[in-house]
Amino acid sequence: MSAVLVMGATGKVGRHVVVRLRELGHAVRPVSRSSPVRFDWADRSTWQPALAGADTLYLNVWGAVGTADPAEFTELAVRSGVRRIVALSGRGDDGEDYLLKTPYGPWAQAVLDGERAAGESGAEWTIVRPCWFAQTFEEDPKLSELRDGEVAIPVGDGTVPFVDATDIAAVAVAALTEDGHQEQSYELSGPRPLTFPEAVAEIARATGREIRQMPVEIPEYVRRLIGGGYDRAAAEMQAGPFEWLHRGKTGFLSDGVQRAIGREPRDFADYAKRAAATGVWSAGSPK
Ligand SMILES: NC(=O)c1ccc[n+]([C@@H]2O[C@H](COP(=O)([O-])OP(=O)(O)OC[C@H]3O[C@@H](n4cnc5c(N)ncnc54)[C@H](OP(=O)(O)O)[C@@H]3O)[C@@H](O)[C@H]2O)c1
């Protein structure tokens, strides 16, 4: 049986894609730098072994920045038998794509390169373009701060309708396994725009803990990250999406979840309750 190759399989969306495909009875090859079949964008000797026997590809370009052009990989994928590609990308803003101009720009450009690579590969393609994932609150730097009960948030009142990674995965799996999603770009959002302070307040409610919110200017946010061990480039990269958010053009809703899988997306409060129940934000939990 041919397999579905899932890239970024340990990631916030990829791990749900793997579980759901297996539940549906598909053969899955999960890959990342830490998987039994190792795939590393920076090590081309790992590409062909990852592709062997796969006819369907879930493309995640994280890790390709500065190391590889996604088109090189999709060309190899099609030569090796891949007939369908579903690319994880990212939603832009309402108008000028300002994220590209921030220090996060190379990562924003990488997903556009991934979209182009999928579209020009000759395989059937679907693009999945989510806005900011709810699950980013489960990774650093936000995770450590939430556990400590004090979160520094760059000031500004921009909103984002956080989308649940399980909804993104459900859309991706539909496109990987069903007909009717080819040549579609699905823009995905959750059902309601929230500011960051509102999202943190939802997490505080779900955990029953007091979480202090400390408004900071972006330069101070960057300084705090550097103080916590980030190098300057990584700290500025983390701040890039906040510069973008504060342009105030990211709060619009998209209907990709409804179009692709025929149901409403999950609300942030629902996500926060489920995540809180796992103990992820409890002080001292393993990362
Ligand atoms: N996070 C968001 O809110 C958001 C919103 C819109 C779009 N996106 C896009 O979604 C994609 C995923 O981003 P994410 O932040 O959510 O990351 P993620 O998928 O949660 O994590 C990155 C994944 O890539 C793997 N990886 C890292 N470096 C790699 C390398 N050199 N070679 C192969 N695999 C590598 C990691 O596993 P190992 O460490 O085991 O290798 C992990 O599975 C990105 O393209 C991002 O631009 C993200």
Side-chain angles (χ1 to χ4, degrees):
M1 179 154 81
S2 295
V4 184
L5 175 59
V6 178
M7 301 175 71
T10 53
K12 292 183 286 299
V13 177
R15 75 183 72 151
H16 297 292
V17 171
V18 170
V19 168
R20 214 176 160 84
L21 285 170
R22 286 190 170 140
E23 282 168 0
L24 293 173
H26 294 277
V28 185
R29 180 167 314 131
V31 298
S32 76
R33 292 167 304 177
S34 53
S35 52
V37 177
R38 199 173 76 86
F39 173 86
D40 187 345
W41 279 104
D43 178 359
R44 283 166 176 70
S45 73
T46 64
W47 293 12
Q48 185 65 64
L51 284 163
D55 65 353
T56 308
L57 167 65
Y58 170 75
L59 178 71
N60 180 340
V61 298
W62 192 258
V65 176
T67 59
D69 178 350
E72 247 187 279
F73 181 70
T74 53
E75 278 163 25
L76 181 65
V78 169
R79 281 205 303 280
S80 143
V82 166
R83 298 288 168 257
R84 178 176 288 183
I85 301 176
V86 175
L88 175 63
S89 181
R91 192 183 81 168
D93 48 33
D94 183 12
E96 170 197 21
D97 210 346
Y98 185 73
L99 188 58
L100 287 168
K101 298 181 185 148
T102 73
Y104 192 82
W107 285 267
Q109 183 59 51
V111 295
L112 298 180
D113 294 345
E115 289 190 7
R116 199 194 62 243
E120 294 176 356
S121 65
E124 295 176 347
W125 58 267
T126 308
I127 309 298
V128 179
R129 307 184 95 208
C131 66
W132 210 312
F133 305 171
Q135 276 77 358
T136 54
F137 287 95
E138 292 173 56
E139 68 183 8
D140 278 334
K142 296 175 201 77
L143 177 61
S144 302
E145 293 185 335
L146 286 164
R147 287 179 177 176
D148 292 346
E150 181 172 283
V151 182
I153 302 197
V155 288
D157 54 6
T159 59
V160 57
F162 294 98
V163 61
D164 194 316
T166 61
D167 282 343
I168 308 169
V171 170
V173 169
L176 288 163
T177 60
E178 300 168 1
D179 290 331
H181 302 283
Q182 289 71 51
E183 299 192 17
Q184 296 285 327
S185 285
Y186 290 122
E187 298 220 330
L188 313 182
S189 78
R192 87 186 143 117
L194 292 169
T195 63
F196 259 78
E198 285 167 346
V200 172
E202 289 284 6
I203 291 171
R205 238 189 312 280
T207 55
R209 292 177 60 208
E210 189 197 342
I211 300 173
R212 287 181 302 285
Q213 302 207 30
M214 193 193 313
V216 293
E217 300 289 342
I218 283 182
E220 171 61 12
Y221 182 68
V222 169
R223 271 196 296 278
R224 285 174 63 96
L225 292 179
I226 292 170
Y230 282 70
D231 65 39
R232 174 161 294 279
E236 287 176 348
M237 184 260 220
Q238 287 289 334
F242 284 102
E243 288 178 32
W244 177 61
L245 178 76
H246 295 159
R247 307 271 293 183
K249 293 181 173 180
T250 52
F252 62 99
L253 302 182
S254 298
D255 65 356
V257 174
Q258 294 91 326
R259 284 203 296 128
I261 56 172
R263 66 161 171 80
E264 293 301 311
R266 292 169 146 179
D267 190 70
F268 190 85
D270 174 48
Y271 154 72
K273 272 189 219 130
R274 275 185 288 123
T278 69
V280 66
W281 294 309
S282 307
S285 292
K287 281 191 185 165

